[in-house]
Amino acid sequence: MSIKYKILKAIDVAGLNFLRPVILLCYGEEPEEQIRKIGLFIAVPIMAFCLFLYLWGLFAPMHKTKSGEVPTPSVVWDSAKGVWAFHVREKNKANAYNLEGDSRDKLLEQAQTRLSELEPMVARVNEQLAEADGAMQSSLASKIEPIKAELDSSKNAMREAQKARQADLQARAKAIAADDTAAKEKLLEDYRAHLAQIETERESLRSYEEQIDEIHNADFPQRAEAIRAQSAIAEERQYLVKLIDTLENNRQQKLSDIETRLEGFESSYYEASGADLLKHAKSITRTESLMVNAADSEYAKPMTLPDQVLRSVACVFAGFLVASLIAIPVGIVCGLSPIMMSALTPFIALFKPVSPIVWLPIFFIIVGGFIPDPDKHWLIAGLAELPLIGWMKINPAFIASALTVAMCSLWPTLVNTALGVASIDKDHINVARVLRLGFWSRLIKIVIPSSLPLTFAGLRISLGVGWMVLIAAELLSSSEGLGKFVWDMFNNGSSQTFAQMFVVVFVVGIIGLLLDRIMIVFQRLVSFDESPTSI
Amino acid sequence: MHEDKYVEIFNLVKAYPNPYGDDIKVVDGFELNIKKGEIIGLLGHSGCGKSTVLTMLAGLNEISDGGIIVDSREISGPGPDRSVVFQSPCLLPWLTAYGNVMLGVERVFKHATKAQRKVIVEYSLSVVGLADSMHKYSRELSGGMQQRVGIARAIALKPKVLLLDEPFGRLDSLTRMDLQDVILGILDREKITTMLVTHDVDESIYMCDRICMMTNGPHAKVGKLIDVDFQRPRVRSEMIEHPKYYDYREQILSFLDECELEKEKIAKQKAKVA
């Protein structure tokens, strides 16, 4: 088998069939046909996506919200970069806390050099900002002045006209005789006209004011640019200051400080005598316990988006695992036994449509009942000691979210497995009968293998459902993860966090896509009839 | 006496419930003795109940009345002592040819060592001519090759009775002739008592020692038995030239025609009554 067919097979198994024409084109097979397919399966989707980005960029700024304009693609991209930069910086700081010796000195030196480089830049961006401010003020003034002048003059003119009309009306009122009804009616009418006139004049004045407001509110790109530059530099500067601070007070430094202090106490203890001895002994023991605390201390790193993504993925897999462990055996039993199927049908029908939003609080309370004091519970403590997942700080909220995922995602697997088991080929059953296979070997050799493709199709749907459920569950339970990230950003309510919520949309989508792809590969591996799986 | 009545089928009845009257007896009073090592053909028009008799002998179909004795023991339910080759190969698609055969071998030769089982499986697959395709999955095999695996699976169990239920029905005629020779080769060597259900006259003459023709159903039973008096091993080209061959052929066809006429007569009578 040549490399070409190996590549094609790998693409096929991975469900990446849209790459097939590219490979075939590389080997020069029917170039026209391949180019047509590339156009259809690669170029068209890319163009559609570009069109989407264009329309998004076009329409988003038209809508103003409390958190500013709806972010455009470029704003979202910048904010994604910001999220990543924040993650890298936090990681560096956490790292800095653990550094010792030469590597620490080196990093410290680097950070200080960079900080000294930044200082003139800070001054410069501040200057630029001030300049932009000035420019904006003068430009505003130049635009607003004429309008204001016009406004003032028309205001004065109107006031004069009003006064004149008023005086005229008063003069006429005095002249009207007591029984001249027609004249009275005329006066009343004119008075109404006078009031309406005042109202329209006010209206026209208001339109000038609106113009002025608009000019005030209009974007001033130069100034926005200056603010962005300034805040970027300020952020980096703040990060460096923090980094240096962490390096100067990291664990090793604390430990050596305490050690010198301890040595001092010890020498004074052995020099002292009498009543002072106990006082010094107290100092020594207190310092010793301080030392133990310092040795165990960690940098209090906040959860950044990549951490939350990992924690969410871990949570969905935990829930998915629980769901599979329940759904597959129960599904097999249901498929084998019509009695069990009949007994469980009402439960499936009743619980399947229940929303995760209902399950979560219930599980939250139930889990809370098992783990009343998370800090002291053996399960939480044990999970925190585990090597790969210890940093995730698994807590009752995590467990409740995972159980909610399990509860909502077990149904497709259960139903599909039951269907797969119940619809085994009759010929295969006959084979088992002729061979007089016992219950277990019939189960393991005939029933389970023949139901695997449908079971995996169910697992694929389950994982998709679980991923959707999880985001909602995390949002509600404040379990650190993508859902909580969105909730925090929502509560923050600035235009920057608004853009970060859009970043999450893409992160969630891409991870969901990857999970689905993984399941497709598994599904392909267990399906014996080689029928292509839908995408 | 045992040798002559290795398989004894007496007064065999298969009745299906009929919601509008008496049970419909598809097979009624079928009686047949099969000698040890004999190849007996079951011939008849389609739908006459040939396969019903075979599946009852296999134990896959419940017996309504009468009984079947195999090697002095009445059968109850299916078992590996009566292995079946179905019309469709019925291979488990998630196993290779080797795995399909091994599934039964593991079950039947429980006390054999792994190496012994391997020898049995490899031997039976090579007998049917699949020595080179042992580790292929059924989707990678042609229809004829799949049926070869089915045959290998059946003979690997060293059954007392081999039941062939139109095993060549879905194959093209060239493949069919190949497989007929494969099975005859095996049976000449192993002397397994065999029942072959078929509706192909030439096939039954070529392969069987005795041909049992069934009357048309319902109430199908044994209509006529013909001994096919050719030496084994048989050579197709010689048989076809032999005058006796055409004699047998004539006898079978005239019986089948009679059955057909009978059926038409009954149908006409029924129409008159109605």
Side-chain angles (χ1 to χ4, degrees):
Chain A
M1 201 157 80
S2 70
I3 297 176
K4 176 181 151 191
Y5 287 106
K6 277 184 184 161
I7 296 174
L8 289 181
K9 174 126 190 163
I11 285 178
D12 183 46
V13 168
L16 299 172
N17 269 327
F18 65 90
L19 288 178
R20 201 183 148 86
V22 180
I23 305 293
L24 289 179
L25 189 66
C26 291
Y27 281 91
E29 246 179 63
E30 294 178 274
E32 281 176 22
E33 173 70 6
Q34 305 314 336
I35 287 171
R36 190 188 69 81
K37 279 188 180 161
I38 289 174
L40 184 60
F41 296 121
I42 299 176
V44 169
I46 290 176
M47 271 156 56
F49 196 75
C50 290
L51 180 69
F52 161 71
L53 289 181
Y54 171 74
L55 291 177
W56 175 8
L58 194 66
F59 287 113
M62 291 185 185
H63 185 57
K64 305 257 190 297
T65 68
K66 274 195 295 186
S67 308
E69 287 162 10
V70 176
T72 57
S74 65
V75 173
V76 171
W77 178 245
D78 284 343
S79 130
K81 284 194 283 194
V83 168
W84 183 251
F86 178 65
H87 170 69
V88 171
R89 285 173 181 174
E90 282 304 322
K91 219 168 140 189
N92 284 346
K93 279 191 256 176
N95 214 8
Y97 191 77
N98 298 329
L99 281 181
E100 292 172 15
D102 275 352
S103 46
R104 172 189 163 270
D105 296 342
K106 218 169 145 192
L107 187 63
L108 189 60
E109 198 183 314
Q110 271 176 14
Q112 275 160 345
T113 335
R114 176 76 188 138
L115 190 61
S116 59
E117 278 170 21
L118 274 183
E119 291 304 343
M121 285 163 81
V122 172
R124 202 167 63 227
V125 288
N126 281 342
E127 222 167 80
Q128 273 169 356
L129 183 59
E131 213 170 275
D133 264 335
M136 187 180 80
Q137 291 304 341
S138 61
S139 133
L140 282 183
S142 66
K143 277 183 193 162
I144 290 172
E145 276 320 317
I147 300 175
K148 221 171 193 173
E150 223 172 291
L151 175 71
D152 287 342
S153 68
S154 51
K155 225 184 213 169
N156 284 335
M158 283 169 195
R159 206 176 289 141
E160 292 307 314
Q162 269 175 35
K163 268 183 193 161
R165 286 201 304 271
Q166 189 83 23
D168 174 48
L169 280 171
Q170 255 163 6
R172 270 169 58 193
K174 272 179 198 160
I176 288 169
D179 57 347
D180 189 353
T181 327
K184 275 182 183 171
E185 268 170 17
K186 181 82 182 39
L187 182 72
L188 190 59
E189 207 171 287
D190 285 352
Y191 185 65
R192 284 207 180 103
H194 168 64
L195 288 183
Q197 183 76 21
I198 289 175
E199 192 54 37
T200 48
E201 278 167 2
R202 266 193 205 140
E203 203 65 41
S204 70
L205 287 183
R206 215 172 284 150
S207 83
Y208 283 116
E209 277 159 11
E210 269 167 19
Q211 272 179 28
I212 293 173
D213 277 351
E214 216 165 274
I215 291 169
H216 268 296
N217 287 337
D219 287 340
F220 202 74
Q222 199 192 338
R223 182 167 178 272
E225 190 60 42
I227 288 177
R228 211 172 297 146
Q230 195 226 17
S231 68
I233 292 206
E235 245 172 55
E236 191 179 352
R237 186 169 169 275
Q238 198 193 0
Y239 154 66
L240 286 170
V241 169
K242 264 283 209 176
L243 184 68
I244 291 167
D245 181 52
T246 315
L247 280 168
E248 278 169 351
N249 295 302
N250 79 358
R251 189 192 301 130
Q252 202 52 38
Q253 297 308 109
K254 278 187 193 164
L255 280 177
S256 59
D257 278 1
I258 296 171
E259 212 160 321
T260 43
R261 249 156 60 204
L262 188 61
E263 273 164 19
F265 286 134
E266 272 171 351
S267 62
S268 52
Y269 176 74
Y270 288 112
E271 279 162 17
S273 59
D276 281 351
L277 269 177
L278 268 183
K279 207 176 82 190
H280 286 297
K282 197 175 169 191
S283 306
I284 287 175
T285 50
R286 196 187 290 159
T287 321
E288 275 168 351
S289 69
L290 272 180
M291 200 154 162
V292 171
N293 283 345
D296 283 345
S297 63
E298 285 287 339
Y299 175 77
K301 176 174 172 284
M303 280 258 179
T304 54
L305 187 64
D307 297 332
Q308 286 168 315
V309 167
L310 284 180
R311 201 171 184 270
S312 284
V313 171
C315 191
V316 82
F317 272 108
F320 179 63
L321 188 71
V322 173
S324 308
L325 288 181
I326 296 170
I328 294 177
V330 174
I332 289 174
V333 170
C334 281
L336 287 177
S337 148
I339 298 177
M340 284 301 288
M341 186 60 150
S342 171
L344 286 179
T345 302
F347 294 97
I348 296 173
L350 188 67
F351 293 142
K352 199 168 82 166
V354 176
S355 156
I357 309 297
V358 183
W359 286 122
L360 184 85
I362 297 174
F363 281 121
F364 206 83
I365 294 169
I366 291 176
V367 171
F370 282 112
I371 308 176
D373 187 359
D375 292 337
K376 288 180 187 153
H377 196 270
W378 57 268
L379 180 64
I380 305 296
L383 286 171
E385 293 298 316
L386 289 177
L388 273 174
I389 54 170
W391 63 269
M392 288 180 191
K393 300 192 186 80
I394 289 169
N395 52 4
F398 180 94
I399 297 172
S401 306
L403 288 179
T404 307
V405 168
M407 192 70 202
C408 296
S409 70
L410 65 84
W411 309 109
T413 304
L414 199 163
V415 172
N416 264 29
T417 306
L419 182 69
V421 170
S423 61
I424 295 182
D425 199 333
K426 202 162 176 288
D427 291 342
H428 298 161
I429 295 284
N430 274 343
V431 169
R433 286 178 67 198
V434 168
L435 295 177
R436 281 221 191 121
L437 292 181
F439 175 77
W440 288 108
S441 51
R442 188 184 286 209
L443 188 70
I444 291 164
K445 292 191 173 145
I446 313 270
V447 172
I448 292 181
S450 85
S451 66
L452 268 187
L454 266 178
T455 302
F456 267 81
L459 286 173
R460 183 180 157 206
I461 303 171
S462 283
L463 192 57
V465 170
W467 182 241
M468 293 222 290
V469 164
L470 177 78
I471 307 298
E474 280 177 343
L475 194 148
L476 205 64
S477 71
S478 293
S479 167
E480 283 288 354
L482 280 166
K484 179 163 184 281
F485 182 85
V486 172
W487 189 238
D488 289 348
M489 295 303 111
F490 172 71
N491 284 333
N492 192 321
S494 75
S495 64
Q496 203 185 355
T497 55
F498 191 30
Q500 287 180 358
M501 285 155 80
F502 281 76
V503 175
V504 173
V505 169
F506 287 95
V507 172
V508 170
I510 290 168
I511 291 172
L513 182 77
L514 288 179
L515 293 179
D516 197 51
R517 285 284 148 179
I518 293 170
M519 290 311 291
I520 287 182
V521 172
F522 278 119
Q523 205 181 336
R524 294 298 300 261
L525 289 180
V526 299
S527 72
F528 36 78
D529 51 1
E530 290 238 310
S531 62
T533 315
S534 63
I535 296 166
Chain B
M1 73 121 232
H2 182 85
E3 292 282 297
D4 275 355
K5 290 189 178 179
Y6 191 66
V7 177
E8 193 180 351
I9 304 174
F10 59 91
N11 191 29
L12 192 68
V13 176
K14 181 67 199 179
Y16 289 107
N18 176 7
Y20 308 109
D22 292 337
D23 289 355
I24 295 173
K25 290 181 177 174
V26 181
V27 176
D28 192 2
F30 186 95
E31 305 222 1
L32 184 68
N33 295 330
I34 306 173
K35 294 195 207 80
K36 187 165 186 182
E38 187 180 34
I39 306 175
I40 191 148
L42 218 52
L43 195 65
H45 284 288
S46 52
C48 76
K50 308 181 296 275
S51 287
T52 312
V53 172
L54 182 129
T55 49
M56 281 196 281
L57 179 50
L60 294 171
N61 206 338
E62 241 173 75
I63 296 170
S64 307
D65 198 6
I68 299 172
I69 291 169
V70 174
D71 195 13
S72 328
R73 201 170 292 162
E74 180 158 12
I75 63 157
S76 60
D81 58 331
R82 283 157 281 130
S83 52
V84 191
V85 178
F86 298 97
Q87 188 172 7
S88 64
C90 295
L91 300 183
L92 304 178
W94 53 89
L95 294 177
T96 58
Y98 181 91
N100 268 288
V101 178
M102 183 54 102
L103 184 69
V105 170
E106 265 176 355
R107 170 80 192 137
V108 174
F109 302 97
K110 276 181 193 157
H111 303 295
T113 63
K114 261 192 180 166
Q116 284 169 328
R117 285 184 203 152
K118 189 165 179 264
V119 169
I120 294 172
V121 174
E122 285 175 353
Y123 172 75
S124 31
L125 279 167
S126 59
V127 163
V128 296
L130 287 179
D132 297 332
S133 321
M134 253 179 229
H135 299 288
K136 285 189 176 165
Y137 288 90
S138 62
R139 59 167 181 271
E140 299 166 309
L141 299 172
S142 67
M145 285 163 107
Q146 290 184 18
Q147 195 58 289
R148 282 169 197 251
V149 180
I151 294 164
R153 179 170 63 185
I155 58 159
L157 307 181
K158 301 266 179 284
K160 290 176 180 166
V161 183
L162 179 64
L163 302 170
L164 307 173
D165 188 0
E166 297 191 34
F168 319 118
R170 292 192 182 172
L171 304 177
D172 62 273
S173 54
L174 286 176
T175 318
R176 179 185 305 199
M177 282 198 264
D178 276 350
L179 278 192
Q180 285 167 354
D181 290 335
V182 164
I183 290 191
L184 275 186
I186 295 165
L187 292 179
D188 284 343
R189 221 172 313 137
E190 314 259 334
K191 307 277 182 237
I192 307 172
T193 313
T194 303
M195 177 184 269
L196 169 70
V197 164
T198 180
H199 50 237
D200 182 328
V201 177
D202 295 309
E203 180 178 288
S204 65
I205 302 173
Y206 178 53
M207 293 190 68
C208 302
D209 295 322
R210 210 147 53 106
I211 299 169
C212 165
M213 281 171 284
M214 289 178 71
T215 61
N216 274 349
H219 305 290
K221 54 175 176 285
V222 177
K224 191 174 177 185
L225 283 163
I226 297 177
D227 282 307
V228 182
D229 192 15
F230 281 111
Q231 284 294 311
R232 286 185 178 282
R234 293 172 176 176
V235 180
R236 199 187 291 268
S237 51
E238 285 174 15
M239 274 178 71
I240 292 175
E241 285 166 12
H242 203 285
K244 265 203 281 182
Y245 183 87
Y246 292 94
D247 189 31
Y248 292 136
R249 208 163 184 272
E250 189 51 42
Q251 283 184 45
I252 294 169
L253 287 175
S254 63
F255 177 81
L256 291 177
D257 278 346
E258 271 171 41
C259 283
E260 199 64 14
L261 284 176
E262 191 86 2
K263 197 175 168 186
E264 277 169 22
K265 230 160 70 184
I266 293 171
K268 268 182 195 165
Q269 272 175 356
K270 267 191 182 167
K272 264 183 199 167
V273 171

